[in-house]
Amino acid sequence: MINNGIIIAFTFGYLALLFAIAWFSEKASVKGRHLSNHPFIYALSLAVYCTAWTYYGSVGRASTNGMEFLTIFIGPSLIAPLWWIIMRKIIRISKIQQISSIADFISSRYGKNITLGGIVTVFSLLGIIPYISLQIKAVATSFETLRTLDATPLIEAVPFFQDTAFYLSLGLALFTILFGTRKIEATAQHEGMVMAIAFESIFKLFAFLAVGLFVTYYIFDGFSDIFTQSTAQGLDHLFLLNSGGAGTSDWFYMSVLSMMAILFLPRQFQMGVIENNNEKHLDTAMWLFPFYLLLINIFVLPIALGGLIHFPTGSVDADIFVLALPISFKQEWLALLVFLGGFSAATSMIIVSAVALSTMVSNNLVMPLLLINENFQKRYQHRLSSVLIWTRRIAILCIIITAYIYYREISAKFSLVSIGLISFVAIAQFTPAIIGGIYWKKATRVGALMGIAAGFMIWFYTLVLPTIVTSGYLPEDIMTVGPFGISILKPYALLGFESMDFVSHGLFFSLSTNLLLFATFSLLSVQSSKEHNQAVIFVDIFKYSTILDTSIVWKGQAYLPDLKSLLHNFLGESKTKSMLDDFFRKRNKNIGASEYADAELVNFAERLLSGIIGAASARIMVGSVVKEEEISMNEVLGILKETQELKLLNEKLKIKTSELKKASDKLKNLNERLLLNDELKDEFISTVTHEMKTPITSIRAFSEILLDEDLPEEERKKFLDIIIKETKRMNRLIDQVLDIEKFDSGKQKLNLIETDIRIMILQASDSVHHLFKERGIAYNINIDLPEATIELDEDRIKQVLLNLLSNALKFARGYVELNAFWQNGTIHIQVMDDGPGISDDERAFIFDKFFQAKNQTQKKPVGSGLGLAISKKIIEYHGGTINVERKDSRTVFFFTLPVHPKITLAEKANSYDA
Amino acid sequence: MMHKILIVDDEPNILLALEFLFKKEGYEVYIARDGEEAMGIIDEKHPNLVILDIMMPKVDGYEVCKHIKSLHGEIKIIFLTAKTKQSDIEKGKDLGADLYLTKPFSNKELIHKIKVLIT
């Protein structure tokens, strides 16, 4: 029959089987066959959720609370469809940020904060170690039950070295150390462990289904038989929803609680996130995992009812029904299978939890504390990787041993019925910080810290404290009348909430306070730039997946060899080289291009380290080689402002450039005009000389004739007369040139005298009258002016009049008319002739100097070519205007004289120069 | 047979002086006050030599020169002008003038050059 030896042999044999599975998987993995990278394995590994507490405890809970046990499975099943949204995001963040645990996740999100990571680690230990001890207790109890074949074993107080549970614990610790800390990267997958866990999931399901079938179809005649018998025994309240002990609100709380547990229990996070190889595995897990939960729960109620029917009330602990039923029916081999199923459920939980917790302890508690110490850093900087791995191994051992001690010293005295749920409530405290952290950018470190701390305090007060009281360490008064007699502080009935189940009560108060403080302090506090960076990355992870390294605001410099040697310490030389080569190749950068690492490379290195020692520690390590300047939000704003200012400066520069361009254009223009002026002057001089040569030519020719020839008196006189005339002509030309030069340079002065214009006009007309008569041209004068005198230079104005009249005379065919009239305070004088007129394009230049000679070889039949130019100057000096137009086939020259002309010579002169 | 000379200038006094000089030398002299008039006389009288001013009303000396060269290649041409710029001189020579003389001129020199051209 089954004896002690057989049980122990099977137990350790089972453990050996786990070792073998893990070992072979790892072997296969080295050869490139990644067995664990399969959606079914992933879904099965998630079934680490079902622990010994589920295996034995569900039946126990169903025996007292009926269907309520289902809530623990309804929650995960309900949340499973949301995995695609929540889990996928968490997985993506964790892969990209190289996150190694739930503590690391929270710490990373809130600016890679050490405090937060440490607190989460400590609270996780507080929440989970009792849970592990519960597993040990389940194993010990079931072992004892099987060994004694007694359904109600009394665990004798044997020294620990005689206690099988102790050796089992050590064996588990060994397994965990071997397969959970093989690689230094905490983010690396433990393929052997995952395969072993998946196997355990199948094994515990198989064992539980076996006992379920045995109870249902061997002891009873199927489901209907059990339920009929139960109803007959008055147990129907256990499977009817409306008559169970639990209120509907408790169902709600329990479901919500287990929803959070399935996501954030350290072992779930380990399996679901860290060990995940492919986000797509979620697709399968979303249906397969709930299906697994359904299968493992089908027989819970039948076994519970069967136990209640079979065993006299109270004679057997309902928690052990699963094992007690086969034993009482003498099915010892089945009982052994059931024991091993429970053992597998317990071990899977212990192994995965220990791995997850040890990672947290090493990466978020021990390393940050060690690394803060610079002396330590200096002394161990080349042995950090072994420090790290041994920290993790010792942590595993400590956790399991602590759990064992807890089981030995405390669990025996405590009521452990709800330890699993209490553990769930502890883990639920991380929910606001995580969910808020990935969907709310404004969630801050202070908010997370306050929320989690407050949540835990209430958790401790409402859920842990009562167990201590029950154990007799504290006076019962606290529970019955409240601490210091304050009834609203009774741990099970805060603020007078008495009707709730104590777990729901604890969950409600701890989580609502947590949430309130988290939200309030997040709104009140300000994020640092680092924190803000992380917040943005976490919330918008799907945007940042690819451009992460470059998207970080960071300033500082890292000496590349320093950074490399840091990576060597943790990754080893060859791995460092291959990672860096990969980095440079992917970014098309030259590895030797600079001896300084840029921000992108520093971030890459930090993430690599992050995966090994956790985000906060990685930051410290990288910080030690990077001359990083702490960037405050103000500095970020400063950088932005600088950019803004640079932009402004650029803008200003642009304006300046355009101004400069304008100025240079102006200068160019001026230069051109000066050149033009120069050209004009050259042209003027060349024209003047040309004009002068004409009379000189005549004078010389005739002088030579007179010199050479003996001419008759008459001819001699004629030629001499020509010489004199040509001399006069030259003199006139010289006068005119000097005149125009004076006007142009502003040196000309007007000789202003009170003049009667009417008289002046008549005098001028008189002097040309005979010329008109000679050419037979009619000449009419119309004067319509009041009798008044105005100040003007009479000679100059007369000069203008004569110039216009003589021009008219030259071109007129038969008629010339002079009109003088008064209009709008000015005197208007027109000289009209019926000549051929001036073409439109020439009209604009007619008042220019030597217009007739300009740019052409054809001479116009106009005098010196200076007359009109001088006339224009004279009129303008008087403050008037002169112009020409063609009207009714008449050429009309007209000028105006203001009655009170403001004559400012200097002003005029300037304007002409320009 | 007497050589025929056409003088083209818009300055009456210069015409007068040159006419006097050439007649005294025994040439048959024609005068024109502008380019248009000059071309008419050239086509009609076929002078041996044309004394050409450049700047004249209606048609300038260059045009008259082109006219002569295209229709009466044998007629000699002397530009007699106040334009002393090198570019003007080049242009005149390019158009095929035999001489380019500038005002004011020496009577004797002018007569001498004419004689060299037409004897």
Side-chain angles (χ1 to χ4, degrees):
Chain A
M1 278 316 299
I2 287 179
N3 57 34
N4 215 357
I6 289 175
I7 300 167
I8 290 171
F10 267 92
T11 308
F12 282 94
Y14 177 82
L15 261 183
L17 181 64
L18 286 188
F19 274 87
I21 291 169
W23 191 74
F24 278 115
S25 308
E26 301 253 312
K27 270 242 153 175
S29 154
V30 171
K31 286 178 189 159
R33 284 180 60 227
H34 300 283
L35 301 171
S36 68
N37 187 8
H38 190 280
F40 274 65
I41 301 294
Y42 177 68
L44 285 172
S45 73
L46 287 177
V48 72
Y49 182 69
C50 302
T51 63
W53 174 63
T54 312
Y55 195 86
Y56 295 111
S58 287
V59 171
R61 212 170 159 78
S63 306
T64 51
N65 291 347
M67 305 261 281
E68 196 217 4
F69 76 95
L70 272 178
T71 52
I72 300 308
F73 307 101
I74 288 171
S77 302
L78 283 179
I79 200 103
L82 281 176
W83 283 355
W84 188 245
I85 296 167
I86 301 169
M87 279 279 264
R88 196 167 70 98
K89 192 165 188 178
I90 293 173
I91 289 171
R92 179 73 64 91
I93 292 167
S94 301
K95 295 299 159 191
I96 285 169
Q97 294 262 304
Q98 300 276 320
I99 279 162
S100 58
S101 67
I102 193 129
D104 208 24
F105 189 91
I106 293 172
S107 147
S108 280
R109 162 60 180 82
Y110 297 100
K112 310 195 177 179
N113 184 263
I114 300 170
T115 320
L116 202 49
I119 283 179
V120 172
T121 303
V122 171
F123 288 163
S124 295
L125 288 171
L126 287 178
I128 303 301
I129 287 178
Y131 199 175
I132 296 174
S133 78
L134 184 67
Q135 306 300 315
I136 296 172
K137 186 187 177 186
V139 172
T141 311
S142 57
F143 181 81
E144 221 37 48
T145 306
L146 189 62
R147 192 175 66 85
T148 56
L149 292 181
D150 184 349
T152 53
L154 272 175
I155 296 175
E156 292 169 46
V158 290
F160 73 89
F161 52 84
Q162 288 179 9
D163 188 359
T164 325
F166 175 72
Y167 293 104
L168 283 173
S169 301
L170 281 185
L172 285 176
L174 185 66
F175 178 89
T176 313
I177 286 166
L178 277 181
F179 294 98
T181 64
R182 287 176 71 86
K183 290 176 192 156
I184 184 163
E185 293 102 323
T187 48
Q189 271 95 37
H190 308 98
E191 294 190 33
M193 184 183 83
V194 172
M195 286 305 287
I197 298 305
F199 167 77
E200 295 208 276
S201 291
I202 294 171
F203 189 84
K204 69 192 171 199
L205 178 64
F206 173 73
F208 198 82
L209 287 178
V211 72
L213 288 168
F214 167 75
V215 172
T216 311
Y217 293 101
Y218 181 83
I219 303 178
F220 294 92
D221 285 334
F223 288 103
S224 59
D225 182 36
I226 294 176
F227 286 100
T228 316
Q229 288 198 36
S230 306
T231 312
Q233 296 212 7
L235 295 168
D236 54 351
H237 66 276
L238 293 176
F239 51 88
L240 292 178
L241 283 178
N242 58 353
S243 54
T248 26
S249 69
D250 292 334
W251 274 68
F252 169 76
Y253 287 117
M254 289 305 128
S255 299
V256 170
L257 182 60
S258 55
M259 280 180 195
M260 296 184 277
I262 192 68
L263 289 171
F264 305 132
L265 273 170
R267 66 175 189 278
Q268 294 307 131
F269 196 85
Q270 181 73 33
M271 283 308 182
V273 178
I274 310 300
E275 307 288 350
N276 177 284
N277 285 305
N278 190 335
E279 284 173 16
K280 288 207 172 102
H281 291 349
L282 282 173
D283 275 353
T284 309
M286 273 160 58
W287 63 264
L288 189 56
F289 178 65
F291 181 64
Y292 182 96
L293 292 182
L294 178 71
L295 286 180
I296 210 164
N297 279 298
I298 285 178
F299 293 108
V300 170
L301 208 52
I303 294 169
L305 295 173
L308 288 173
I309 295 165
H310 185 74
F311 298 111
T313 314
S315 65
V316 170
D317 183 359
D319 280 347
I320 209 76
F321 276 177
V322 184
L323 192 59
L325 280 168
I327 289 172
S328 80
F329 282 89
K330 307 287 181 214
Q331 297 295 325
E332 290 165 3
W333 290 105
L334 178 63
L336 183 61
L337 177 71
V338 169
F339 163 75
L340 287 176
F343 182 63
S344 78
T347 52
S348 62
M349 185 277 172
I350 294 169
I351 291 166
V352 181
S353 296
V355 167
L357 288 175
S358 73
T359 306
M360 287 193 214
V361 168
S362 73
N363 287 8
N364 297 91
L365 208 61
V366 178
M367 284 314 268
L369 289 176
L370 289 178
L371 291 175
I372 282 174
N373 184 336
E374 278 184 23
N375 285 333
F376 171 84
Q377 247 198 65
K378 273 182 199 143
R379 261 178 84 186
Y380 289 93
Q381 62 172 329
H382 298 297
R383 277 174 287 165
L384 279 175
S385 61
S386 59
V387 170
L388 182 67
I389 215 143
W390 279 105
T391 305
R392 221 171 276 163
R393 284 171 183 165
I394 293 165
I396 289 172
L397 198 65
C398 288
I399 288 164
I400 293 177
I401 297 297
T402 309
Y404 174 76
I405 295 168
Y406 191 93
Y407 146 73
R408 290 268 302 184
E409 302 300 319
I410 301 167
S411 295
K413 298 171 191 163
F414 276 13
S415 153
L416 293 179
V417 182
S418 299
I419 261 196
L421 285 174
I422 292 169
S423 180
F424 278 18
V425 177
I427 297 309
Q429 303 310 319
F430 303 144
T431 311
I434 294 173
I435 297 294
I438 62 172
Y439 288 107
W440 188 35
K441 283 181 200 164
K442 292 189 96 158
T444 70
R445 184 179 61 83
V446 179
L449 214 55
M450 297 305 285
I452 290 173
F456 263 93
M457 277 189 266
I458 294 171
W459 166 78
F460 186 84
Y461 187 72
T462 56
L463 294 171
V464 181
L465 191 74
T467 62
I468 299 171
V469 173
T470 318
S471 311
Y473 288 102
L474 284 167
E476 289 249 349
D477 287 1
I478 294 175
M479 303 306 296
T480 49
V481 290
F484 315 111
I486 305 166
S487 69
I488 58 162
L489 289 181
K490 279 194 283 188
Y492 277 168
L494 283 178
L495 305 176
F497 279 62
E498 281 183 334
S499 62
M500 287 168 97
D501 168 73
F502 78 99
V503 176
S504 302
H505 171 270
L507 175 69
F508 172 78
F509 278 103
S510 62
L511 200 60
S512 57
T513 310
N514 180 337
L515 200 59
L516 189 71
L517 291 182
F518 171 69
T520 312
F521 279 93
S522 285
L523 289 173
L524 290 179
S525 59
V526 181
Q527 287 173 331
S528 71
S529 67
K530 240 178 253 164
E531 200 185 332
H532 183 69
N533 242 328
Q534 289 296 95
V536 172
I537 291 167
F538 271 56
V539 174
D540 295 332
I541 189 68
F542 293 110
K543 266 197 263 171
Y544 286 101
S545 301
T546 51
I547 49 162
L548 194 71
D549 285 324
T550 47
S551 69
I552 291 164
V553 178
W554 180 83
K555 64 179 191 180
Q557 254 187 342
Y559 190 49
L560 192 56
D562 284 353
L563 200 66
K564 264 190 196 164
S565 79
L566 178 67
L567 290 174
H568 284 173
N569 294 340
F570 288 96
L571 294 170
E573 204 144 326
S574 64
K575 183 129 194 226
T576 302
K577 193 175 174 332
S578 83
M579 288 310 250
L580 285 180
D581 284 348
D582 201 45
F583 173 84
F584 284 112
R585 197 173 47 249
K586 270 186 191 154
R587 285 159 184 81
N588 284 322
K589 284 184 177 172
N590 195 344
I591 196 159
S594 167
E595 27 174 37
Y596 288 96
D598 59 4
E600 202 179 347
L601 180 54
V602 171
N603 283 313
F604 174 73
E606 189 181 322
R607 282 197 295 120
L608 274 180
L609 286 180
S610 213
I612 299 166
I613 54 175
S617 309
R619 181 151 279 273
I620 295 171
M621 288 309 306
V622 169
S624 70
V625 298
V626 173
K627 284 200 198 79
E628 186 177 10
E629 294 158 51
E630 198 63 32
I631 313 181
S632 66
M633 207 60 204
N634 278 338
E635 279 183 274
V636 173
L637 286 177
I639 292 171
L640 287 177
K641 223 173 111 191
E642 267 175 41
T643 319
Q644 197 66 30
E645 273 167 10
L646 232 99
K647 237 172 144 185
L648 261 170
L649 229 87
N650 206 21
E651 207 68 33
K652 273 187 191 162
L653 213 79
K654 261 189 197 161
I655 292 167
K656 272 273 181 289
T657 311
S658 91
E659 273 173 4
L660 229 102
K661 198 179 165 347
K662 266 184 208 160
S664 95
D665 279 353
K666 229 176 173 176
L667 240 128
K668 213 169 136 193
N669 231 324
L670 200 75
N671 200 29
E672 268 169 20
R673 276 174 59 187
L674 272 171
L675 275 174
L676 194 75
N677 269 355
D678 241 30
E679 266 174 46
L680 283 176
K681 211 156 203 165
D682 279 355
E683 209 174 275
F684 179 71
I685 288 165
S686 108
T687 313
V688 167
T689 39
H690 184 269
E691 288 303 307
M692 281 182 167
K693 274 175 182 172
T694 304
I696 289 172
T697 305
S698 295
I699 290 165
R700 180 169 175 186
F702 281 111
S703 304
E704 283 186 18
I705 290 170
L706 284 169
L707 189 68
D708 295 342
E709 314 292 334
D710 214 4
L711 294 171
E713 178 63 24
E714 198 190 332
E715 221 162 16
R716 198 177 63 95
K717 229 180 153 182
K718 185 184 163 192
F719 288 172
L720 280 171
D721 203 39
I722 290 172
I723 290 172
I724 293 164
K725 265 189 192 162
E726 289 293 342
T727 315
K728 277 185 183 165
R729 178 179 165 187
M730 223 177 94
N731 194 46
R732 204 164 54 239
L733 187 67
I734 290 168
D735 282 348
Q736 279 184 333
V737 168
L738 291 176
D739 240 21
I740 198 112
E741 182 53 32
K742 268 187 182 169
F743 276 112
D744 270 356
S745 63
K747 284 174 197 152
Q748 181 64 43
K749 285 199 176 85
L750 294 179
N751 180 24
L752 296 173
I753 44 168
E754 287 292 326
T755 308
D756 189 327
I757 287 195
R758 294 174 304 173
I759 293 167
M760 189 199 69
I761 290 171
L762 291 175
Q763 278 174 355
S765 297
D766 262 2
S767 65
V768 291
H769 194 248
H770 67 286
L771 296 172
F772 284 93
K773 244 184 176 169
E774 268 173 30
R775 282 200 59 200
I777 286 168
Y779 178 51
N780 282 324
I781 308 169
N782 306 303
I783 299 176
D784 182 16
L785 290 171
E787 195 184 320
T789 61
I790 64 166
E791 246 191 359
L792 46 76
D793 187 330
E794 195 184 350
D795 289 346
R796 288 295 182 186
I797 298 297
K798 209 185 262 176
Q799 186 187 342
V800 174
L801 264 179
L802 288 173
N803 185 247
L804 295 182
L805 285 172
S806 65
N807 280 348
L809 179 64
K810 266 184 218 164
F811 297 103
R813 290 189 177 106
Y815 181 76
V816 172
E817 187 182 300
L818 189 148
N819 298 310
F821 55 92
W822 176 272
Q823 196 177 38
N824 300 330
T826 49
I827 290 158
H828 294 247
I829 295 170
Q830 300 175 328
V831 177
M832 253 191 276
D833 68 70
D834 59 352
I838 305 139
S839 74
D840 288 346
D841 40 325
E842 283 174 351
R843 204 168 293 150
F845 308 107
I846 200 156
F847 293 100
D848 290 357
K849 291 172 277 187
F850 297 115
F851 159 70
Q852 54 163 326
K854 195 184 277 177
N855 294 329
Q856 58 196 4
T857 49
Q858 289 180 22
K859 204 180 243 174
K860 293 285 183 309
V862 186
S864 67
L866 287 172
L868 282 174
I870 293 171
S871 296
K872 192 175 186 225
K873 294 284 174 197
I874 293 167
I875 297 303
E876 282 174 353
Y877 263 63
H878 280 86
T881 57
I882 185 165
N883 227 319
V884 63
E885 60 179 28
R886 185 78 180 165
K887 212 161 88 184
D888 307 328
S889 63
R890 303 270 161 101
T891 307
V892 185
F893 281 87
F894 58 92
F895 65 89
T896 61
L897 290 171
V899 175
H900 297 291
K902 286 194 173 65
I903 302 155
T904 47
L905 299 183
E907 224 173 87
K908 293 283 170 195
N910 289 340
S911 69
Y912 295 130
D913 279 352
Chain B
M1 183 193 153
M2 267 208 293
H3 287 294
K4 289 181 274 191
I5 298 178
L6 169 64
I7 312 161
V8 191
D9 205 305
D10 65 336
E11 266 311 308
N13 289 334
I14 289 172
L15 283 176
L16 195 63
L18 289 175
E19 191 187 5
F20 177 87
L21 271 175
F22 296 159
K23 273 187 176 163
K24 229 187 91 256
E25 291 297 321
Y27 296 111
E28 192 177 326
V29 179
Y30 302 95
I31 56 169
R33 288 166 198 284
D34 58 58
E36 208 176 78
E37 198 185 345
M39 289 193 284
I41 295 169
I42 288 161
D43 293 345
E44 193 186 325
K45 307 286 181 185
H46 292 280
N48 301 91
L49 175 75
V50 178
I51 308 284
L52 259 180
D53 187 14
I54 292 174
M55 283 189 19
M56 293 180 297
K58 293 176 188 172
V59 179
D60 68 30
Y62 295 130
E63 291 304 309
V64 178
C65 182
K66 280 182 207 161
H67 174 83
I68 297 167
K69 281 289 151 191
S70 61
L71 294 174
H72 318 281
E74 74 287 354
I75 299 177
K76 306 285 184 195
I77 300 163
I78 297 175
F79 273 118
L80 187 63
T81 171
K83 288 168 90 80
T84 53
K85 276 195 277 182
Q86 195 56 36
S87 61
D88 293 323
I89 297 168
E90 298 289 326
K91 190 177 176 186
K93 292 208 166 148
D94 286 350
L95 285 172
D98 296 281
L99 280 173
Y100 191 100
L101 303 174
T102 54
K103 293 172 180 175
F105 52 86
S106 145
N107 292 357
K108 281 175 188 159
E109 207 183 313
L110 181 63
I111 297 294
H112 175 74
K113 283 184 173 162
I114 289 170
K115 276 183 178 161
V116 172
L117 271 179
I118 47 168
T119 32

